[in-house]
Amino acid sequence: MSKMFLAGMLAAGAAGALIVPVAAQGAALGPSAALCNSNATAVQVDVRGFKQRTGTVRVQIYSANSGYLEKRKWLERVDVPVSRAGTMSICVPVKQQGNYVISVRHDMNGNGKSDRSDGAGLSGNPDMKVSDFIFKRKPKLTQVSFAVGGATKRVPVVLNYVNGLSFDPVE
């Protein structure tokens, strides 16, 4: 590895999220991919429904309690570049068995900010409206939470994008 690449990786890690190269389709992605590949206690988030194949995907995991989705309350965060095709399987480590919530954001232009063009999704794939975001209404915890035991838990998430006054999948 070159010193410049290593320095960039360390800087990214210090910023709170590590951006890693995209693996072959179907393989777990992210700095903790080995956990999912060995069926350890982790969450493998299968993200699909991309509007465009650009930018980055951010996956955040929260404890399943009333503070889920609050700023900076996530337990782990993984950022990866969007793959060229297919479902992206992103591995997120968890420190212990328990109940969690997953949030996914497709930063379509890769600028690190939430834009109207970005896509998003939650575990449980709840039906959300644009007004829910405007008024900061969260889905019921029972709709979006899931349990993680002693093995890797697979969680499907379908991305939704703003389309007029609705927030829907592109598929």
Side-chain angles (χ1 to χ4, degrees):
M1 270 187 221
S2 75
K3 288 181 184 178
M4 183 175 279
F5 176 75
L6 200 56
M9 295 293 280
L10 291 172
L18 182 61
I19 296 180
V20 297
V22 176
Q25 186 174 339
L29 301 169
S32 300
L35 289 174
C36 290
N37 292 335
S38 66
N39 202 28
T41 302
V43 179
Q44 187 165 332
V45 184
D46 295 325
V47 184
R48 67 180 179 85
F50 290 90
K51 189 174 188 175
Q52 290 182 7
R53 292 296 179 154
T54 59
T56 59
V57 175
R58 171 172 286 170
V59 178
Q60 295 179 159
I61 191 164
Y62 297 83
S63 289
N65 60 39
S66 61
Y68 85 95
L69 297 183
E70 298 295 326
K71 277 191 171 195
R72 303 193 201 318
K73 297 286 184 181
W74 44 267
L75 302 171
E76 294 286 340
R77 179 172 81 186
V78 178
D79 289 324
V80 295
V82 174
S83 63
R84 293 183 191 169
T87 298
M88 290 184 67
S89 294
I90 301 165
C91 189
V92 182
V94 293
K95 291 187 175 29
Q96 61 190 20
Q97 298 177 25
N99 295 315
Y100 297 95
V101 175
I102 287 287
S103 168
V104 177
R105 185 184 69 161
H106 173 205
D107 182 3
M108 217 168 3
N109 62 9
N111 69 357
K113 299 176 183 175
S114 292
D115 302 314
R116 185 170 167 82
S117 63
D118 291 345
L122 293 170
S123 46
N125 295 302
D127 185 29
M128 302 279 297
K129 310 273 185 262
V130 173
S131 60
D132 293 331
F133 293 99
I134 293 169
F135 296 109
K136 298 184 188 232
R137 292 188 293 242
K138 299 189 277 189
K140 291 181 181 175
L141 190 56
T142 55
Q143 288 182 290
V144 294
S145 64
F146 58 91
V148 176
T152 298
K153 171 76 172 183
R154 289 193 86 133
V155 176
V157 174
V158 178
L159 293 170
N160 293 271
Y161 296 85
V162 174
N163 182 17
L165 295 176
S166 48
F167 188 66
D168 300 308
V170 292
E171 300 178 321

